[in-house]
PDB file of all heavy atoms in Angstrom:
ATOM      1  N   GLU B 399     -37.421   4.153  47.078  1.00 97.00           N
ATOM      2  CA  GLU B 399     -36.378   4.721  47.817  1.00 97.00           C
ATOM      3  C   GLU B 399     -35.100   3.916  47.710  1.00 97.00           C
ATOM      4  O   GLU B 399     -35.128   2.742  47.438  1.00 97.00           O
ATOM      5  CB  GLU B 399     -36.757   4.695  49.382  1.00 97.00           C
ATOM      6  CG  GLU B 399     -38.002   5.406  49.718  1.00 97.00           C
ATOM      7  CD  GLU B 399     -37.834   6.934  49.719  1.00 97.00           C
ATOM      8  OE1 GLU B 399     -36.684   7.437  49.655  1.00 97.00           O
ATOM      9  OE2 GLU B 399     -38.928   7.630  49.702  1.00 97.00           O
ATOM     10  N   GLY B 405     -36.172   3.540  62.830  1.00 96.00           N
ATOM     11  CA  GLY B 405     -35.613   3.688  64.138  1.00 96.00           C
ATOM     12  C   GLY B 405     -34.699   4.946  64.244  1.00 96.00           C
ATOM     13  O   GLY B 405     -33.902   5.144  63.308  1.00 96.00           O
ATOM     14  N   ALA B 413     -26.567   5.804  60.706  1.00 98.00           N
ATOM     15  CA  ALA B 413     -26.789   5.246  59.363  1.00 98.00           C
ATOM     16  C   ALA B 413     -27.280   6.331  58.433  1.00 98.00           C
ATOM     17  O   ALA B 413     -26.938   6.408  57.251  1.00 98.00           O
ATOM     18  CB  ALA B 413     -27.777   4.047  59.410  1.00 98.00           C
ATOM     19  N   TYR B 416     -24.494   8.826  57.325  1.00 93.00           N
ATOM     20  CA  TYR B 416     -23.559   8.286  56.325  1.00 93.00           C
ATOM     21  C   TYR B 416     -24.279   8.103  55.001  1.00 93.00           C
ATOM     22  O   TYR B 416     -23.737   8.499  53.938  1.00 93.00           O
ATOM     23  CB  TYR B 416     -22.942   6.975  56.791  1.00 93.00           C
ATOM     24  CG  TYR B 416     -21.611   7.104  57.423  1.00 93.00           C
ATOM     25  CD1 TYR B 416     -21.458   7.760  58.685  1.00 93.00           C
ATOM     26  CD2 TYR B 416     -20.444   6.747  56.802  1.00 93.00           C
ATOM     27  CE1 TYR B 416     -20.232   7.964  59.210  1.00 93.00           C
ATOM     28  CE2 TYR B 416     -19.197   6.907  57.388  1.00 93.00           C
ATOM     29  CZ  TYR B 416     -19.018   7.504  58.616  1.00 93.00           C
ATOM     30  OH  TYR B 416     -17.840   7.643  59.183  1.00 93.00           O
ATOM     31  N   GLU B 420     -23.433  10.321  51.544  1.00 77.00           N
ATOM     32  CA  GLU B 420     -23.156   9.566  50.342  1.00 77.00           C
ATOM     33  C   GLU B 420     -24.041  10.021  49.188  1.00 77.00           C
ATOM     34  O   GLU B 420     -23.845   9.611  48.038  1.00 77.00           O
ATOM     35  CB  GLU B 420     -23.321   8.051  50.493  1.00 77.00           C
ATOM     36  CG  GLU B 420     -22.415   7.448  51.513  1.00 77.00           C
ATOM     37  CD  GLU B 420     -21.037   7.232  50.922  1.00 77.00           C
ATOM     38  OE1 GLU B 420     -20.974   6.981  49.759  1.00 77.00           O
ATOM     39  OE2 GLU B 420     -20.037   7.415  51.644  1.00 77.00           O
ATOM     40  N   ASN B 423     -29.987   9.990  49.742  1.00 95.00           N
ATOM     41  CA  ASN B 423     -31.261  10.593  50.095  1.00 95.00           C
ATOM     42  C   ASN B 423     -32.161   9.736  50.974  1.00 95.00           C
ATOM     43  O   ASN B 423     -33.248   9.300  50.647  1.00 95.00           O
ATOM     44  CB  ASN B 423     -31.976  10.911  48.786  1.00 95.00           C
ATOM     45  CG  ASN B 423     -33.173  11.747  48.947  1.00 95.00           C
ATOM     46  OD1 ASN B 423     -33.282  12.491  49.935  1.00 95.00           O
ATOM     47  ND2 ASN B 423     -34.141  11.671  48.071  1.00 95.00           N
ATOM     48  N   GLN B 462     -29.585  16.535  63.996  1.00 97.00           N
ATOM     49  CA  GLN B 462     -29.261  17.691  63.284  1.00 97.00           C
ATOM     50  C   GLN B 462     -28.245  17.404  62.185  1.00 97.00           C
ATOM     51  O   GLN B 462     -28.375  17.833  61.037  1.00 97.00           O
ATOM     52  CB  GLN B 462     -28.648  18.702  64.266  1.00 97.00           C
ATOM     53  CG  GLN B 462     -28.413  20.117  63.851  1.00 97.00           C
ATOM     54  CD  GLN B 462     -27.865  20.957  64.979  1.00 97.00           C
ATOM     55  OE1 GLN B 462     -26.802  20.582  65.581  1.00 97.00           O
ATOM     56  NE2 GLN B 462     -28.531  22.014  65.342  1.00 97.00           N
ATOM     57  N   ARG B 470     -34.352  12.609  55.214  1.00 98.00           N
ATOM     58  CA  ARG B 470     -35.793  12.994  55.354  1.00 98.00           C
ATOM     59  C   ARG B 470     -36.332  12.166  56.538  1.00 98.00           C
ATOM     60  O   ARG B 470     -36.056  10.965  56.627  1.00 98.00           O
ATOM     61  CB  ARG B 470     -36.593  12.690  54.083  1.00 98.00           C
ATOM     62  CG  ARG B 470     -36.181  13.640  52.926  1.00 98.00           C
ATOM     63  CD  ARG B 470     -36.688  13.105  51.589  1.00 98.00           C
ATOM     64  NE  ARG B 470     -36.080  11.787  51.323  1.00 98.00           N
ATOM     65  CZ  ARG B 470     -36.714  10.766  50.829  1.00 98.00           C
ATOM     66  NH1 ARG B 470     -37.955  10.835  50.493  1.00 98.00           N
ATOM     67  NH2 ARG B 470     -36.070   9.611  50.599  1.00 98.00           N
ATOM     68  N   GLU B 473     -42.608  10.567  60.548  1.00 93.00           N
ATOM     69  CA  GLU B 473     -43.153   9.969  61.760  1.00 93.00           C
ATOM     70  C   GLU B 473     -44.297   9.080  61.407  1.00 93.00           C
ATOM     71  O   GLU B 473     -45.241   9.434  60.678  1.00 93.00           O
ATOM     72  CB  GLU B 473     -43.651  11.127  62.725  1.00 93.00           C
ATOM     73  CG  GLU B 473     -42.903  11.109  63.984  1.00 93.00           C
ATOM     74  CD  GLU B 473     -43.398  12.164  65.003  1.00 93.00           C
ATOM     75  OE1 GLU B 473     -44.491  12.101  65.412  1.00 93.00           O
ATOM     76  OE2 GLU B 473     -42.586  13.001  65.305  1.00 93.00           O
ATOM     77  N   LEU B 488     -42.780  -1.638  52.635  1.00 98.00           N
ATOM     78  CA  LEU B 488     -43.079  -1.340  54.044  1.00 98.00           C
ATOM     79  C   LEU B 488     -44.459  -0.709  54.143  1.00 98.00           C
ATOM     80  O   LEU B 488     -44.764   0.259  53.438  1.00 98.00           O
ATOM     81  CB  LEU B 488     -42.056  -0.345  54.600  1.00 98.00           C
ATOM     82  CG  LEU B 488     -40.605  -0.679  54.444  1.00 98.00           C
ATOM     83  CD1 LEU B 488     -39.723   0.475  54.846  1.00 98.00           C
ATOM     84  CD2 LEU B 488     -40.183  -1.927  55.202  1.00 98.00           C
ATOM     85  N   GLU B 496     -41.824   1.769  49.053  1.00 98.00           N
ATOM     86  CA  GLU B 496     -40.967   0.738  48.436  1.00 98.00           C
ATOM     87  C   GLU B 496     -39.469   1.212  48.517  1.00 98.00           C
ATOM     88  O   GLU B 496     -39.178   2.431  48.379  1.00 98.00           O
ATOM     89  CB  GLU B 496     -41.339   0.570  46.970  1.00 98.00           C
ATOM     90  CG  GLU B 496     -42.707  -0.054  46.845  1.00 98.00           C
ATOM     91  CD  GLU B 496     -43.007  -0.388  45.417  1.00 98.00           C
ATOM     92  OE1 GLU B 496     -42.677   0.427  44.520  1.00 98.00           O
ATOM     93  OE2 GLU B 496     -43.517  -1.493  45.147  1.00 98.00           O
ATOM     94  N   VAL B 502     -32.623  -1.886  59.675  1.00 98.00           N
ATOM     95  CA  VAL B 502     -33.427  -2.066  60.845  1.00 98.00           C
ATOM     96  C   VAL B 502     -32.720  -1.655  62.122  1.00 98.00           C
ATOM     97  O   VAL B 502     -31.688  -2.263  62.532  1.00 98.00           O
ATOM     98  CB  VAL B 502     -33.912  -3.559  61.016  1.00 98.00           C
ATOM     99  CG1 VAL B 502     -34.752  -3.731  62.268  1.00 98.00           C
ATOM    100  CG2 VAL B 502     -34.667  -3.970  59.783  1.00 98.00           C
ATOM    101  N   ALA B 506     -34.299  -1.840  71.385  1.00 90.00           N
ATOM    102  CA  ALA B 506     -34.763  -2.786  72.409  1.00 90.00           C
ATOM    103  C   ALA B 506     -35.594  -1.994  73.425  1.00 90.00           C
ATOM    104  O   ALA B 506     -35.263  -0.851  73.754  1.00 90.00           O
ATOM    105  CB  ALA B 506     -33.696  -3.536  73.044  1.00 90.00           C
ATOM    106  N   SER B 507     -36.601  -2.612  74.022  1.00 84.00           N
ATOM    107  CA  SER B 507     -37.391  -1.964  75.029  1.00 84.00           C
ATOM    108  C   SER B 507     -37.183  -2.646  76.427  1.00 84.00           C
ATOM    109  O   SER B 507     -36.740  -3.766  76.458  1.00 84.00           O
ATOM    110  CB  SER B 507     -38.910  -2.023  74.657  1.00 84.00           C
ATOM    111  OG  SER B 507     -39.098  -1.428  73.433  1.00 84.00           O
ATOM    112  N   SER B 525     -42.637   2.323  87.214  1.00 89.00           N
ATOM    113  CA  SER B 525     -42.023   2.902  86.028  1.00 89.00           C
ATOM    114  C   SER B 525     -40.849   2.044  85.535  1.00 89.00           C
ATOM    115  O   SER B 525     -40.256   1.326  86.373  1.00 89.00           O
ATOM    116  CB  SER B 525     -41.525   4.311  86.358  1.00 89.00           C
ATOM    117  OG  SER B 525     -40.649   4.786  85.349  1.00 89.00           O
ATOM    118  N   SER B 526     -40.508   2.072  84.269  1.00 85.00           N
ATOM    119  CA  SER B 526     -39.278   1.458  83.822  1.00 85.00           C
ATOM    120  C   SER B 526     -38.258   2.463  83.459  1.00 85.00           C
ATOM    121  O   SER B 526     -37.277   2.126  82.836  1.00 85.00           O
ATOM    122  CB  SER B 526     -39.557   0.538  82.645  1.00 85.00           C
ATOM    123  OG  SER B 526     -39.830   1.301  81.466  1.00 85.00           O
ATOM    124  N   CYS B 530     -37.074   9.375  83.318  1.00 67.00           N
ATOM    125  CA  CYS B 530     -38.381  10.029  82.974  1.00 67.00           C
ATOM    126  C   CYS B 530     -39.186  10.418  84.194  1.00 67.00           C
ATOM    127  O   CYS B 530     -39.763  11.510  84.302  1.00 67.00           O
ATOM    128  CB  CYS B 530     -39.235   9.137  82.116  1.00 67.00           C
ATOM    129  SG  CYS B 530     -38.351   8.178  80.835  1.00 67.00           S
ATOM    130  N   ASP B 570     -27.557 -12.988  95.090  1.00 95.00           N
ATOM    131  CA  ASP B 570     -26.755 -12.455  96.237  1.00 95.00           C
ATOM    132  C   ASP B 570     -25.574 -11.637  95.758  1.00 95.00           C
ATOM    133  O   ASP B 570     -24.623 -11.332  96.507  1.00 95.00           O
ATOM    134  CB  ASP B 570     -26.310 -13.550  97.208  1.00 95.00           C
ATOM    135  CG  ASP B 570     -25.423 -14.566  96.518  1.00 95.00           C
ATOM    136  OD1 ASP B 570     -25.145 -14.452  95.284  1.00 95.00           O
ATOM    137  OD2 ASP B 570     -25.017 -15.544  97.157  1.00 95.00           O
ATOM    138  N   SER B 575     -21.180  -3.532  86.532  1.00 85.00           N
ATOM    139  CA  SER B 575     -19.760  -3.306  86.527  1.00 85.00           C
ATOM    140  C   SER B 575     -19.322  -2.861  87.932  1.00 85.00           C
ATOM    141  O   SER B 575     -20.080  -2.342  88.703  1.00 85.00           O
ATOM    142  CB  SER B 575     -19.445  -2.240  85.536  1.00 85.00           C
ATOM    143  OG  SER B 575     -20.019  -1.051  85.820  1.00 85.00           O
ATOM    144  N   LYS B 576     -18.027  -3.098  88.178  1.00 85.00           N
ATOM    145  CA  LYS B 576     -17.383  -2.856  89.484  1.00 85.00           C
ATOM    146  C   LYS B 576     -17.607  -1.417  89.932  1.00 85.00           C
ATOM    147  O   LYS B 576     -18.048  -1.154  91.066  1.00 85.00           O
ATOM    148  CB  LYS B 576     -15.923  -3.206  89.408  1.00 85.00           C
ATOM    149  CG  LYS B 576     -15.344  -3.698  90.679  1.00 85.00           C
ATOM    150  CD  LYS B 576     -13.834  -3.976  90.449  1.00 85.00           C
ATOM    151  CE  LYS B 576     -12.968  -3.179  91.409  1.00 85.00           C
ATOM    152  NZ  LYS B 576     -11.583  -3.012  90.897  1.00 85.00           N
ATOM    153  N   ILE B 577     -17.323  -0.474  89.037  1.00 80.00           N
ATOM    154  CA  ILE B 577     -17.384   0.891  89.443  1.00 80.00           C
ATOM    155  C   ILE B 577     -18.794   1.306  89.809  1.00 80.00           C
ATOM    156  O   ILE B 577     -18.957   2.079  90.824  1.00 80.00           O
ATOM    157  CB  ILE B 577     -16.802   1.849  88.309  1.00 80.00           C
ATOM    158  CG1 ILE B 577     -16.640   3.253  88.817  1.00 80.00           C
ATOM    159  CG2 ILE B 577     -17.779   1.860  87.104  1.00 80.00           C
ATOM    160  CD1 ILE B 577     -15.945   4.152  87.787  1.00 80.00           C
ATOM    161  N   LEU B 591     -31.669  -5.201  99.248  1.00 97.00           N
ATOM    162  CA  LEU B 591     -32.290  -6.491  99.759  1.00 97.00           C
ATOM    163  C   LEU B 591     -31.849  -7.581  98.796  1.00 97.00           C
ATOM    164  O   LEU B 591     -32.340  -7.669  97.635  1.00 97.00           O
ATOM    165  CB  LEU B 591     -33.819  -6.356  99.756  1.00 97.00           C
ATOM    166  CG  LEU B 591     -34.385  -5.337 100.791  1.00 97.00           C
ATOM    167  CD1 LEU B 591     -35.925  -5.332 100.682  1.00 97.00           C
ATOM    168  CD2 LEU B 591     -34.028  -5.820 102.243  1.00 97.00           C
ATOM    169  N   VAL B 626     -42.033   2.026  92.322  1.00 97.00           N
ATOM    170  CA  VAL B 626     -41.303   0.813  91.940  1.00 97.00           C
ATOM    171  C   VAL B 626     -40.711   1.060  90.554  1.00 97.00           C
ATOM    172  O   VAL B 626     -41.369   1.316  89.607  1.00 97.00           O
ATOM    173  CB  VAL B 626     -42.264  -0.369  91.818  1.00 97.00           C
ATOM    174  CG1 VAL B 626     -41.576  -1.638  91.330  1.00 97.00           C
ATOM    175  CG2 VAL B 626     -42.926  -0.697  93.165  1.00 97.00           C
ATOM    176  N   VAL B 628     -38.544  -0.618  87.585  1.00 95.00           N
ATOM    177  CA  VAL B 628     -38.168  -1.934  87.114  1.00 95.00           C
ATOM    178  C   VAL B 628     -37.020  -1.743  86.199  1.00 95.00           C
ATOM    179  O   VAL B 628     -37.097  -1.008  85.164  1.00 95.00           O
ATOM    180  CB  VAL B 628     -39.332  -2.574  86.390  1.00 95.00           C
ATOM    181  CG1 VAL B 628     -38.993  -3.943  85.868  1.00 95.00           C
ATOM    182  CG2 VAL B 628     -40.617  -2.691  87.337  1.00 95.00           C
ATOM    183  N   ASN B 635     -36.948  -5.041  69.753  1.00 94.00           N
ATOM    184  CA  ASN B 635     -38.200  -4.701  69.031  1.00 94.00           C
ATOM    185  C   ASN B 635     -38.152  -5.297  67.671  1.00 94.00           C
ATOM    186  O   ASN B 635     -37.877  -4.656  66.645  1.00 94.00           O
ATOM    187  CB  ASN B 635     -38.331  -3.208  68.978  1.00 94.00           C
ATOM    188  CG  ASN B 635     -38.372  -2.573  70.344  1.00 94.00           C
ATOM    189  OD1 ASN B 635     -39.006  -3.087  71.279  1.00 94.00           O
ATOM    190  ND2 ASN B 635     -37.685  -1.432  70.478  1.00 94.00           N
TER     191      ASN B 635
END
Side-chain angles (χ1 to χ4, degrees):
Chain B
E399 303 285 346
Y416 265 69
E420 295 283 326
N423 191 25
Q462 192 180 56
R470 292 164 299 140
E473 241 182 65
L488 308 171
E496 295 189 315
V502 177
S507 302
S525 169
S526 73
C530 318
D570 62 0
S575 62
K576 209 179 123 201
I577 191 174
L591 292 177
V626 176
V628 180
N635 300 319

